[in-house]
């Protein structure tokens, strides 16, 4: 049997899902039509009865030819955004040498996270989704409770150890 706390969590998730579905529903038809046109299916229409895209059959005497001019336009527009690769950059707060070094270290950490999380590919996906639907969202957040794993070397034994800590300074201080 789920507890009252679990039931409240399930109810909250269902309410969030219903709210998200209500906000999305009016736009879905146009999104599906846009993506169909991008794929070269210019004869697709939205069926209210089936609640999906359908391609009505062509008359026997007609041959359907499609010239897809939408796809090259969308690709060119996306290429303009991707022409200059996004680079994470941290500016120092002051001209103090410590702030400058902190900014350099933070930039290196962001570059590592950018590569590790494959954010460039996700940025490309968000741009293509925005081109199709006029909506593309990224959601970044900072989790202060997340623990990092750091490899530190004991100065006496020269043995490397992986430590879970909030930051490297705490891990190194604990080893000394």
């Amino acid at each position: 049997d789920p507890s009252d706390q679990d039931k409240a969590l399930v109810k909250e998730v269902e309410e969030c899902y219903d709210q998200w579905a209500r906000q999305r529903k009016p736009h879905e038809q146009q999104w599906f039509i846009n993506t169909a046109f991008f794929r070269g299916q210019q004869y697709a229409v939205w069926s209210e009865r089936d609640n999906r895209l359908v391609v009505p059959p062509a008359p026997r005497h007609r041959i359907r030819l499609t010239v897809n001019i939408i796809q090259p336009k969308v690709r060119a527009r996306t290429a303009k955004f991707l022409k200059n690769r996004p680079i994470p950059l941290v500016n120092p707060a002051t001209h103090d040498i410590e702030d400058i070094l902190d900014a350099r270290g933070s930039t290196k950490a962001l570059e590592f996270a950018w590569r590790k999380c494959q954010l460039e590919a996700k940025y490309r996906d968000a741009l293509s989704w925005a081109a199709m639907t006029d909506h593309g969202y990224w959601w970044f957040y900072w989790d202060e409770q997340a623990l990092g794993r750091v490899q530190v070397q004991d100065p006496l034994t020269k043995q490397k150890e992986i430590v879970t800590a909030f930051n490297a300074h705490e891990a190194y201080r604990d080893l000394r």
Side-chain angles (χ1 to χ4, degrees):
D1 288 330
S3 67
D4 291 339
Q5 187 179 14
D6 291 341
K7 290 178 183 177
L9 179 63
V10 168
K11 183 179 179 184
E12 180 183 352
V13 169
E14 287 176 349
E15 287 174 359
C16 288
Y17 177 79
D18 291 341
Q19 179 184 3
W20 169 78
R22 279 193 309 272
Q23 291 173 353
R24 179 184 167 122
K25 191 70 171 165
H27 305 287
E28 282 181 343
Q29 293 176 11
Q30 190 60 50
W31 294 349
F32 287 132
I33 291 172
N34 290 352
T35 54
F37 276 43
F38 179 76
R39 290 188 312 265
Q41 299 172 345
Q42 273 72 19
Y43 296 101
V45 294
W46 184 260
S47 171
E48 290 290 339
R49 187 189 77 195
D50 298 333
N51 206 22
R52 66 184 182 102
L53 280 179
V54 294
V55 179
R60 291 185 184 262
H61 64 278
R62 183 178 295 168
I63 298 174
R64 288 185 173 165
L65 298 175
T66 59
V67 178
N68 193 352
I69 60 174
I70 295 171
Q71 193 175 51
K73 296 280 186 187
V74 169
R75 287 187 176 175
R77 184 176 177 199
T78 305
K80 287 181 183 179
F81 286 104
L82 296 173
K83 181 171 57 173
N84 297 325
R85 294 175 67 187
I87 300 170
L89 178 66
V90 177
N91 292 324
T94 65
H95 293 293
D96 187 26
I97 189 69
E98 189 174 322
D99 283 350
I100 293 171
L101 292 175
D102 285 346
R104 283 185 193 165
S106 298
T107 300
K108 293 284 186 190
L110 283 175
E111 288 172 355
F112 171 75
W114 186 266
R115 285 191 313 271
K116 184 175 182 191
C117 298
Q118 301 174 348
L119 291 179
E120 192 164 347
K122 292 176 183 175
Y123 177 66
R124 194 177 324 113
D125 291 343
L127 282 177
S128 64
W129 185 250
M132 299 293 161
T133 64
D134 291 332
H135 296 84
Y137 299 106
W138 266 19
W139 181 29
F140 291 103
Y141 66 97
W142 181 260
D143 187 3
E144 293 180 8
Q145 303 300 321
L147 297 175
R149 293 177 48 188
V150 181
Q151 182 178 8
V152 293
Q153 184 176 9
D154 190 353
L156 299 175
T157 63
K158 304 293 185 201
Q159 188 175 3
K160 294 183 179 178
E161 182 181 357
I162 295 178
V163 179
T164 303
F166 283 105
N167 59 38
H169 296 295
E170 288 179 11
Y172 183 71
R173 185 179 64 231
D174 292 343
L175 281 179
R176 285 194 280 166

